[in-house]
């Protein structure tokens, strides 16, 4: 595969392949290309089958694209390549190779006997992917959860930014006298081009607080995988905590590259999965130990919870008021807010409304994509 460099750098050979597909009539825009490169970065470049299926899932929009894709793949990478007639590993003789998938909830884990009999998950058509994007996490089958993990890994993350104290050269902005004068010295004193500057930007801290109590059990695994994707994109400016009967910081565990290892490490660090909910006490512990000391200051804080509070609601309101004074933006993502007949009447969410900036849904992949836009625009 000539022209392919390291997976951590831009891949000219792979980008050239997408240009070849575009010339063949496939809709390989910049978003599909970015999704393809992100998928390849998680796979083995030495295995042509990995490259083939990564491109087929991300670059093909409809079944009619497959013949042109197969022909372009063989011409670009290997003339001897023959596309498989079935999904990966489905046509291989002998026992099917199993994949070990970590989960943060013991109830969602697969037993050894079940994992040994697991069949490969079929590739979803684009229309099925669109249905999966809007499906509630609590209603997903085992096969759909596998596909959801793949789609979460392909999310486009735009971290929040803020203005820095330093300046940067810019085409628009205020006049930069020093750079303008230096440029005039090189042109005999003539102001051929006026130099300008603008405020530079730097990442704004993002804090994710994930409720992992019993009522949030159907959503906890997907939400922590979502947090892992964001943490991997901006490890230096993202902090993740779990909320249950206690507050636990899992930022270090979620910085691991492999999502299964990251989720397994987070599961071992959190002792209170699927337990009770004491949001007020958890937020007080967070603010006293981390938030007041700088983690929450001018940060975008996203709290994932359904609002069921077993503790004192007045304490929750008090701690949210503290957080609102520290943070730049406070977003509450409630899985039940995506239902048409939802009313914020739970004890926790009712007292929280005066102290948050946005109440959004958090029940599906499409809802998580909307949360990413809220984060970016904050």
């Amino acid at each position: 595969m000539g022209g392919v460099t390291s997976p951590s750098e831009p891949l000219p050979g792979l980008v050239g392949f997408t240009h070849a597909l575009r010339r063949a009539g496939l809709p390989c825009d910049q978003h599909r290309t970015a999704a393809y490169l992100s998928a390849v970065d998680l796979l083995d470049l030495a295995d042509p089958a990995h490259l083939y299926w990564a491109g087929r899932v991300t670059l093909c929009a409809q079944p009619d694209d497959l013949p042109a894709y197969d022909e372009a793949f063989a011409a670009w990478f290997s003339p001897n390549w023959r596309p498989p007639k079935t999904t990966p590993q489905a046509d291989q003789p002998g026992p099917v190779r199993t994949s070990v998938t970590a989960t943060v909830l013991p109830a969602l884990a697969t037993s050894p006997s079940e994992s040994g009999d697991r069949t490969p998950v079929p590739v979803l058509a684009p229309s099925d992917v669109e249905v999966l994007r809007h499906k509630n996490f609590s209603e997903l089958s085992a096969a759909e959860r596998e596909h959801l993990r793949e789609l979460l890994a392909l999310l486009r993350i735009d971290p929040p930014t803020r203005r820095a104290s330093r300046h940067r050269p810019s085409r628009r902005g205020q006049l930069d006298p020093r750079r303008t004068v230096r440029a005039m010295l090189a042109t005999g004193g003539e102001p051929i081009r006026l130099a300008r500057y603008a405020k530079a930007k730097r990442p704004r801290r993002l804090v994710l607080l994930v409720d992992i109590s019993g009522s949030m059990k159907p959503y906890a695994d997907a939400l922590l995988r979502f947090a892992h994707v964001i943490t991997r994109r901006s490890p230096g400016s993202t902090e993740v905590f779990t909320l249950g009967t206690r507050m636990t910081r899992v930022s270090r565990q979620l910085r691991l590259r492999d999502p299964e290892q990251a989720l397994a490490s987070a599961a071992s660090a959190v002792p209170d999965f699927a337990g009770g909910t004491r949001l007020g006490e958890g937020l007080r512990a967070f603010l006293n130990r981390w938030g007041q000391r700088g983690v929450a200051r001018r940060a975008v804080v996203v709290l994932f919870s359904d609002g069921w509070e077993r503790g004192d609601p007045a304490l929750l309101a008090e701690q949210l008021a503290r957080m609102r004074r520290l943070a730049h933006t406070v977003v509450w993502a409630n899985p039940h807010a995506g239902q048409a007949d939802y009313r914020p009447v739970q004890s926790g969410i009712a007292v929280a409304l005066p102290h948050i900036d946005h109440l959004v849904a958090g029940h599906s992949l499409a809802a998580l994509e909307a949360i990413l836009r809220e984060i970016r625009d904050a």
Side-chain angles (χ1 to χ4, degrees):
M1 285 183 295
V4 177
T5 59
S6 127
S8 61
E9 303 173 355
L11 306 176
L14 299 182
V15 175
F17 174 51
T18 63
H19 291 313
L21 291 176
R22 191 179 299 117
R23 290 192 295 269
L26 272 70
C28 300
D29 56 16
Q30 59 179 353
H31 301 298
R32 290 184 178 273
T33 300
Y36 178 50
L37 297 179
S38 299
V40 168
D41 192 36
L42 301 173
L43 302 175
D44 183 6
L45 283 174
D47 190 341
H50 285 196
L51 289 175
Y52 173 83
W53 286 105
R56 177 163 168 169
V57 171
T58 58
L59 301 176
C60 296
Q62 55 186 346
D64 294 341
D65 294 339
L66 298 183
Y69 174 79
D70 292 342
E71 182 179 353
F73 186 90
W76 189 265
F77 290 106
S78 175
N80 299 324
W81 167 260
R82 293 295 180 268
K85 297 181 181 179
T86 57
T87 56
Q89 302 178 0
D91 57 346
Q92 296 180 3
V96 177
R97 186 177 62 184
T98 60
S99 59
V100 179
T101 302
T103 178
V104 297
L105 295 178
L108 297 179
T110 305
S111 65
S113 60
E114 292 174 346
S115 63
D117 298 333
R118 179 182 296 175
T119 57
V121 179
V123 177
L124 289 180
S127 58
D128 297 326
V129 172
E130 187 62 23
V131 172
L132 180 59
R133 287 182 62 249
H134 295 275
K135 195 168 184 179
N136 195 303
F137 292 147
S138 63
E139 302 172 356
L140 297 181
S141 64
E144 289 172 332
R145 288 186 181 277
E146 292 289 341
H147 286 297
L148 175 66
R149 289 159 185 158
E150 298 172 0
L151 295 176
L152 284 172
L154 299 178
L155 285 177
R156 180 179 178 180
I157 310 298
D158 293 320
T161 58
R162 63 183 180 89
R163 289 187 177 183
S165 58
R166 296 186 177 183
H167 298 91
R168 60 175 177 82
S170 175
R171 293 183 179 181
R172 299 179 180 179
Q174 299 183 17
L175 181 66
D176 189 336
R178 293 185 178 180
R179 291 178 54 237
T180 300
V181 171
R182 285 199 298 267
M184 291 171 58
L185 294 177
T187 58
E190 294 292 334
I192 302 299
R193 180 177 300 174
L194 299 180
R196 299 182 180 277
Y197 66 85
K199 286 283 188 179
K201 291 185 177 181
R202 60 181 303 177
R204 183 182 293 278
R205 189 180 301 277
L206 175 62
V207 180
L208 306 178
L209 307 174
V210 183
D211 184 349
I212 45 85
S213 61
S215 60
M216 288 289 291
K217 180 179 178 180
Y219 306 94
D221 186 76
L223 293 178
L224 282 177
R225 289 179 183 275
F226 175 65
H228 172 259
V229 174
I230 297 179
T231 304
R232 285 291 303 157
R233 173 63 178 83
S234 303
S237 58
T238 304
E239 294 287 347
V240 185
F241 299 82
T242 61
L243 280 168
T245 56
R246 56 176 293 180
M247 167 74 63
T248 306
R249 181 174 181 264
V250 293
S251 306
R252 180 176 57 84
Q253 289 80 1
L254 294 184
R255 292 189 184 117
L256 296 175
R257 179 186 181 88
D258 184 78
E260 309 308 328
Q261 294 181 2
L263 268 290
S265 180
S268 63
V270 179
D272 57 341
F273 272 115
T277 310
R278 298 186 181 277
L279 296 177
E281 295 179 9
L283 289 180
R284 180 171 60 184
F286 164 73
L287 291 171
N288 290 343
R289 184 172 180 182
W290 292 285
Q292 198 79 35
R293 299 182 180 182
V295 171
R297 292 184 182 276
R298 298 190 297 274
V300 177
V301 180
V302 184
L303 173 60
F304 297 90
S305 177
D306 56 3
W308 290 106
E309 170 65 298
R310 292 188 178 182
D312 184 4
L315 176 62
L316 175 61
E318 177 187 345
Q319 300 309 312
L320 283 172
R322 286 180 61 193
M323 182 181 295
R324 186 64 193 88
R325 291 192 293 268
L326 290 171
H328 175 72
T329 303
V330 179
V331 179
W332 189 305
N334 191 324
H336 303 310
Q339 302 174 4
D341 57 348
Y342 171 74
R343 297 292 181 271
V345 296
Q346 297 89 350
S347 58
I349 195 67
V351 301
L353 287 177
H355 309 292
I356 61 177
D357 296 288
H358 305 284
L359 175 62
V360 298
H363 66 294
S364 66
L365 181 61
L368 296 184
E369 292 172 345
I371 292 174
L372 288 178
R373 292 191 291 271
E374 289 280 354
I375 293 172
R376 178 198 62 195
D377 297 340

